[in-house]
Amino acid sequence: MEKFVEFPENFLWGAASSGPQTEGNYGKAHENVMDRWFHTKPEDFFDQVGPDIASDFYHTYPEDFALMKKIGFNSFRTSIQWSRLIKDFETGEVDPDGAKFYQSIIDEAKKNNITLILNLHHFDLPAELLDEYGGWESKHVVDLFVKFAKACFELYGNQIEYWTTFNEPMVIPEAGYLYGFHYPNYKGKGKEAMQVIYNINLASAKVISLYRSMNLKGKIGIILNLTPAYPRSNSQEDLDASEFTENLFNRSFLEPAIKGEFPKKLVEVLDKDGVLWESSQAELDLIKKSTVDYLGVNYYHPKRVKAQDHPEQFKEPWMPDQYFEEYEMPNCRMNKYRGWEIYPKAIYDIAMDIKNNYGNIPWYISENGMGVEGEQRFAQVDGFIEDDYRIDFYKEHLAWLQKAIKEGSNCFGYHAWTAFDCWSWNNAYKNRYGFIAVDLKTQQRKIKKSGYWYLDLTKNNGFVYDLEQKVE
Ligand code: BGP
């Protein structure tokens, strides 16, 4: 039966993006690791398009905020690039042009009545810190990140209500150290990846502790990509595999962020295998007391897992894959352009997990979305893109989210990925995700059909839908 899917009052509606994917490199004194990757191996990127211009947000932000307002946003997330704001990483000295730019972003958001969520790290470690110290493997880098955060809080602390320390921190060890799909493209560095997990948790806790000590008036959280690990069967082997996968890929950040502790079972396995991170009691105490005020959840796809048939292949060097194997579930819905399964119900499962197992902490969907290759095929003669597939994707996910909210999950907002088409880590502009199309040659913007749909959704604070039938 059709019904009105209604959201709570004052719900945050908007979208997320990030500095490195939108701004372009104008005036930036330092490369981040993604810039470095493109500058050294442009052939790794779709159509060899890099982040140097990206969506030109450095120049187009006044127009972009006006368009976001026009399609109903009351909030927007972006990130401050460490490699733009800081001139000297060791001292934390600020680059005045960088500081001016982010102040303009804050002012423009305010002018448009858009609440800005500011994130401090979106895969964009300064490349020099990788060269000099081994990046997130180093605790010195943790302390340099705290200096960067201090500069951000000193400059903008009281102007921002919602801060986040990291976006999808698990992607850094996963993509950079285990499987090699992000720079520095290491593969098989299991032990190092575990230290990176620990160090980033420590960095987040240190920044939260600093934020609290500065008596600022906002809130501070973290953004995690939660990919529920569903087992192939109820056999003990498959259940163990899914539990390990959950603990490693979701809860190694979720537990410290909210409970101040690492998952016990994961720590036991890593200890037994001799790959547990190096930590001190003082650090663990700091993590224990520096938990988040709220959580952001990026949800795109689930993980399907089964027991590993060939664990011996992953013992030397140590890799977590000895405890699980991912597989593609037969007959699942797939976005073949991205290779991600579409499974909207997982958003409900995540919401109820937060409610039941994490003290029903305030949280929001900080990213959810879908892009396909060749979106231009949906363009009408005047270039208007009729992206109904995206509208359907959003409706279905939102309906599951609203069901969880009705059942008591403490969700305060929904951010899509993304506002206007932006650059992606090696897929560049292959899969377009925006409500607003960006013409890469002219940098002209044009609202897509989904943008007008979002305006209606936000005006009505809901939409008509039948979750059972999945028809409007
Ligand atoms: C998330 C990232 C975003 C964004 C999005 C879409 O993991 O936080 O930065 O890129 O995924 O994924 P992709 O761009 O890889 O298609």
Side-chain angles (χ1 to χ4, degrees):
M1 215 193 18
E2 277 194 357
K3 54 183 184 227
F4 189 66
V5 178
E6 192 177 13
F7 287 84
E9 262 178 59
N10 303 320
F11 206 61
L12 287 189
W13 291 112
S17 88
S18 76
Q21 292 175 277
T22 58
E23 291 170 9
N25 280 336
Y26 315 96
K28 216 151 68 84
H30 305 279
E31 278 183 320
N32 64 43
V33 286
M34 296 296 174
D35 301 326
R36 163 71 65 77
W37 183 10
F38 178 72
H39 295 148
T40 50
K41 274 188 99 191
E43 65 278 12
D44 279 1
F45 294 79
F46 185 77
D47 280 350
Q48 303 214 15
V49 173
D52 291 344
I53 296 176
S55 302
D56 201 26
F57 187 60
Y58 190 77
H59 298 110
T60 58
Y61 67 88
E63 182 190 354
D64 290 329
F65 274 109
L67 285 169
M68 291 191 265
K69 172 103 200 133
K70 195 169 168 190
I71 60 171
F73 284 24
N74 60 20
S75 50
F76 174 64
R77 167 167 62 107
T78 187
S79 66
I80 298 180
Q81 291 199 67
W82 191 354
S83 55
R84 180 187 291 290
L85 187 76
I86 300 296
K87 198 168 172 177
D88 181 330
F89 300 122
E90 300 296 329
T91 62
E93 184 192 341
V94 163
D95 178 323
D97 289 340
K100 211 166 126 209
F101 171 67
Y102 292 113
Q103 186 58 56
S104 315
I105 296 296
I106 293 171
D107 293 343
E108 202 64 30
K110 216 169 263 161
K111 200 167 110 191
N112 286 281
N113 253 327
I114 289 179
T115 298
L116 200 59
I117 299 180
L118 271 187
N119 177 41
L120 298 178
H121 195 82
H122 201 119
F123 313 155
D124 58 338
L125 176 79
E128 289 144 69
L129 302 184
L130 182 70
D131 300 340
E132 281 166 44
Y133 304 112
W136 288 113
E137 285 179 64
S138 149
K139 289 193 186 168
H140 181 61
V141 169
V142 170
D143 290 330
L144 297 184
F145 182 66
V146 179
K147 288 190 182 165
F148 159 56
K150 185 158 186 265
C152 294
F153 299 152
E154 281 169 354
L155 285 163
Y156 318 118
N158 272 326
Q159 303 178 60
I160 296 294
E161 194 181 335
Y162 296 96
W163 290 95
T164 54
T165 56
F166 284 84
N167 174 79
E168 302 195 351
M170 189 59 207
V171 171
I172 298 170
E174 184 183 14
Y177 288 79
L178 294 175
Y179 309 117
F181 56 91
H182 277 187
Y183 199 78
N185 308 102
Y186 301 142
K187 284 184 191 154
K189 289 203 170 206
K191 186 168 168 42
E192 291 82 350
M194 298 306 110
Q195 190 66 47
V196 168
I197 290 177
Y198 177 79
N199 287 357
I200 297 180
N201 272 297
L202 178 63
S204 183
K206 282 194 169 184
V207 168
I208 292 172
S209 166
L210 167 75
Y211 183 78
R212 301 245 159 86
S213 75
M214 290 173 78
N215 282 319
L216 297 164
K217 63 180 185 198
K219 302 178 192 68
I220 189 156
I222 193 167
I223 288 169
L224 303 181
N225 52 316
L226 297 184
T227 49
Y230 297 105
R232 169 183 57 181
S233 77
N234 281 331
S235 75
Q236 197 50 52
E237 293 75 15
D238 287 345
L239 291 173
D240 289 347
S242 85
E243 185 186 46
F244 180 86
T245 310
E246 268 294 329
N247 282 338
L248 179 63
F249 290 95
N250 299 323
R251 296 178 206 268
S252 63
F253 283 96
L254 190 59
E255 298 265 326
I258 298 179
K259 299 182 177 170
E261 281 170 7
F262 292 91
K264 251 201 185 71
K265 282 200 174 169
L266 179 68
V267 170
E268 276 165 22
V269 173
L270 300 183
D271 197 23
K272 166 177 80 65
D273 290 355
V275 292
L276 187 60
W277 42 70
E278 188 258 306
S279 66
S280 75
Q281 195 52 49
E283 290 166 356
L284 294 170
D285 292 345
L286 183 95
I287 292 171
K288 179 74 198 169
K289 59 176 204 260
S290 310
T291 55
V292 294
D293 295 320
Y294 72 99
L295 177 71
V297 175
N298 293 356
Y299 172 68
Y300 288 92
H301 60 89
K303 274 190 199 293
R304 304 281 174 188
V305 290
K306 58 180 185 174
Q308 173 58 258
D309 291 333
H310 303 285
E312 64 290 347
Q313 291 177 5
F314 300 101
K315 300 233 156 140
E316 211 36 70
W318 184 92
M319 280 290 278
D321 304 63
Q322 60 193 275
Y323 297 108
F324 71 96
E325 189 176 338
E326 281 190 58
Y327 77 105
E328 196 177 309
M329 190 175 72
N331 304 320
C332 69
R333 279 157 70 189
M334 261 288 168
N335 173 5
K336 63 174 184 197
Y337 305 100
R338 190 61 184 80
W340 283 347
E341 182 184 339
I342 299 173
Y343 185 62
K345 180 178 174 284
I347 220 169
Y348 170 85
D349 294 342
I350 292 170
M352 297 318 276
D353 184 35
I354 296 170
K355 173 173 181 251
N356 297 327
N357 302 315
Y358 294 92
N360 210 12
I361 188 172
W363 71 283
Y364 83 114
I365 287 286
S366 40
E367 285 182 29
N368 175 229
M370 177 178 177
V372 296
E373 186 173 355
E375 200 180 57
Q376 210 45 39
R377 76 190 117 115
F378 302 119
Q380 305 302 297
V381 270
D382 60 352
F384 179 62
I385 291 179
E386 300 210 330
D387 51 345
D388 291 275
Y389 77 90
R390 172 170 294 114
I391 299 174
D392 292 342
F393 178 96
Y394 283 138
K395 279 184 179 168
E396 210 181 332
H397 284 79
L398 279 165
W400 278 109
L401 177 64
Q402 189 256 8
K403 182 174 153 60
I405 295 173
K406 268 200 330 211
E407 292 175 25
S409 190
N410 197 4
C411 174
F412 63 84
Y414 177 87
H415 275 187
W417 185 269
T418 182
F420 46 93
D421 293 339
C422 71
W423 186 77
S424 164
W425 334 101
N426 90 340
N427 279 326
Y429 284 84
K430 178 180 147 208
N431 304 316
R432 303 296 183 105
Y433 285 86
F435 290 122
I436 299 161
V438 172
D439 180 327
L440 286 189
K441 288 205 187 84
T442 61
Q443 287 294 341
Q444 266 178 1
R445 273 64 173 149
K446 197 172 175 67
I447 298 173
K448 302 178 192 174
K449 186 173 175 182
S450 59
Y452 293 103
W453 170 78
Y454 206 65
L455 174 63
D456 278 346
L457 163 73
T458 56
K459 260 200 214 146
N460 301 325
N461 208 31
F463 58 102
V464 175
Y465 197 67
D466 180 349
L467 189 56
E468 264 95 69
Q469 293 299 312
K470 285 205 302 157
V471 286
E472 194 179 330

